[in-house]
mmCIF file of all heavy atoms in Angstrom:
data_model
loop_
_atom_site.group_PDB
_atom_site.id
_atom_site.type_symbol
_atom_site.label_atom_id
_atom_site.label_comp_id
_atom_site.label_asym_id
_atom_site.label_seq_id
_atom_site.Cartn_x
_atom_site.Cartn_y
_atom_site.Cartn_z
ATOM 1 N N MET X 461 74.385 40.453 4.622
ATOM 2 C CA MET X 461 75.097 39.740 3.598
ATOM 3 C C MET X 461 75.986 40.799 2.860
ATOM 4 O O MET X 461 75.953 40.885 1.629
ATOM 5 C CB MET X 461 74.154 39.037 2.620
ATOM 6 C CG MET X 461 73.302 37.990 3.227
ATOM 7 S SD MET X 461 72.123 37.144 2.070
ATOM 8 C CE MET X 461 73.284 36.115 1.157
ATOM 9 N N SER X 462 76.776 41.510 3.697
ATOM 10 C CA SER X 462 77.618 42.537 3.146
ATOM 11 C C SER X 462 78.662 41.928 2.223
ATOM 12 O O SER X 462 79.241 40.850 2.513
ATOM 13 C CB SER X 462 78.259 43.242 4.274
ATOM 14 O OG SER X 462 79.147 44.234 3.831
ATOM 15 N N GLY X 463 78.865 42.540 1.072
ATOM 16 C CA GLY X 463 79.836 41.979 0.133
ATOM 17 C C GLY X 463 79.232 41.095 -0.872
ATOM 18 O O GLY X 463 79.869 40.839 -1.948
ATOM 19 N N VAL X 464 78.037 40.607 -0.594
ATOM 20 C CA VAL X 464 77.381 39.752 -1.556
ATOM 21 C C VAL X 464 76.705 40.628 -2.656
ATOM 22 O O VAL X 464 76.049 41.611 -2.379
ATOM 23 C CB VAL X 464 76.201 38.924 -0.892
ATOM 24 C CG1 VAL X 464 75.377 38.159 -1.938
ATOM 25 C CG2 VAL X 464 76.800 37.912 0.103
ATOM 26 N N VAL X 465 76.962 40.276 -3.836
ATOM 27 C CA VAL X 465 76.509 41.088 -4.994
ATOM 28 C C VAL X 465 75.646 40.201 -5.908
ATOM 29 O O VAL X 465 75.992 39.065 -6.237
ATOM 30 C CB VAL X 465 77.681 41.690 -5.793
ATOM 31 C CG1 VAL X 465 77.164 42.374 -7.034
ATOM 32 C CG2 VAL X 465 78.477 42.621 -4.872
ATOM 33 N N ILE X 466 74.473 40.724 -6.311
ATOM 34 C CA ILE X 466 73.613 40.099 -7.222
ATOM 35 C C ILE X 466 73.856 40.690 -8.626
ATOM 36 O O ILE X 466 73.853 41.974 -8.676
ATOM 37 C CB ILE X 466 72.139 40.177 -6.897
ATOM 38 C CG1 ILE X 466 71.843 39.225 -5.751
ATOM 39 C CG2 ILE X 466 71.308 39.913 -8.035
ATOM 40 C CD1 ILE X 466 71.685 37.783 -6.128
ATOM 41 N N ALA X 467 74.086 39.885 -9.603
ATOM 42 C CA ALA X 467 74.212 40.426 -10.997
ATOM 43 C C ALA X 467 73.175 39.698 -11.771
ATOM 44 O O ALA X 467 72.675 38.576 -11.515
ATOM 45 C CB ALA X 467 75.571 40.166 -11.463
ATOM 46 N N VAL X 468 72.749 40.275 -12.968
ATOM 47 C CA VAL X 468 71.859 39.757 -13.833
ATOM 48 C C VAL X 468 72.568 39.494 -15.163
ATOM 49 O O VAL X 468 72.979 40.444 -15.840
ATOM 50 C CB VAL X 468 70.619 40.709 -14.024
ATOM 51 C CG1 VAL X 468 69.629 39.998 -15.018
ATOM 52 C CG2 VAL X 468 69.968 40.974 -12.747
ATOM 53 N N ASN X 469 72.656 38.233 -15.551
ATOM 54 C CA ASN X 469 73.205 37.894 -16.860
ATOM 55 C C ASN X 469 72.083 37.970 -17.902
ATOM 56 O O ASN X 469 71.181 37.122 -17.894
ATOM 57 C CB ASN X 469 73.801 36.517 -16.881
ATOM 58 C CG ASN X 469 74.432 36.127 -18.133
ATOM 59 O OD1 ASN X 469 74.938 36.954 -18.888
ATOM 60 N ND2 ASN X 469 74.422 34.861 -18.545
ATOM 61 N N HIS X 470 72.130 39.054 -18.687
ATOM 62 C CA HIS X 470 71.039 39.307 -19.627
ATOM 63 C C HIS X 470 71.563 39.297 -21.061
ATOM 64 O O HIS X 470 72.393 40.059 -21.443
ATOM 65 C CB HIS X 470 70.446 40.698 -19.262
ATOM 66 C CG HIS X 470 69.272 41.056 -20.089
ATOM 67 N ND1 HIS X 470 68.965 42.376 -20.408
ATOM 68 C CD2 HIS X 470 68.212 40.363 -20.701
ATOM 69 C CE1 HIS X 470 67.858 42.415 -21.150
ATOM 70 N NE2 HIS X 470 67.422 41.149 -21.345
ATOM 71 N N GLU X 471 71.096 38.292 -21.801
ATOM 72 C CA GLU X 471 71.582 38.181 -23.197
ATOM 73 C C GLU X 471 70.401 38.027 -24.174
ATOM 74 O O GLU X 471 69.266 37.698 -23.814
ATOM 75 C CB GLU X 471 72.473 36.907 -23.295
ATOM 76 C CG GLU X 471 73.716 36.993 -22.391
ATOM 77 C CD GLU X 471 74.529 35.671 -22.487
ATOM 78 O OE1 GLU X 471 73.925 34.688 -22.994
ATOM 79 O OE2 GLU X 471 75.718 35.704 -22.022
ATOM 80 N N LYS X 472 70.749 38.202 -25.425
ATOM 81 C CA LYS X 472 69.732 38.055 -26.494
ATOM 82 C C LYS X 472 69.754 36.606 -26.996
ATOM 83 O O LYS X 472 70.764 36.001 -27.147
ATOM 84 C CB LYS X 472 70.003 38.989 -27.703
ATOM 85 C CG LYS X 472 69.812 40.444 -27.360
ATOM 86 C CD LYS X 472 70.049 41.376 -28.582
ATOM 87 C CE LYS X 472 69.790 42.822 -28.215
ATOM 88 N NZ LYS X 472 70.123 43.672 -29.417
ATOM 89 N N GLY X 473 68.517 36.108 -27.190
ATOM 90 C CA GLY X 473 68.386 34.773 -27.678
ATOM 91 C C GLY X 473 67.324 34.749 -28.862
ATOM 92 O O GLY X 473 67.044 35.757 -29.419
#
Side-chain angles (χ1 to χ4, degrees):
M461 296 180 73
S462 181
V464 174
V465 175
I466 285 283
V468 180
N469 182 32
H470 183 210
E471 298 178 347
K472 291 181 179 179

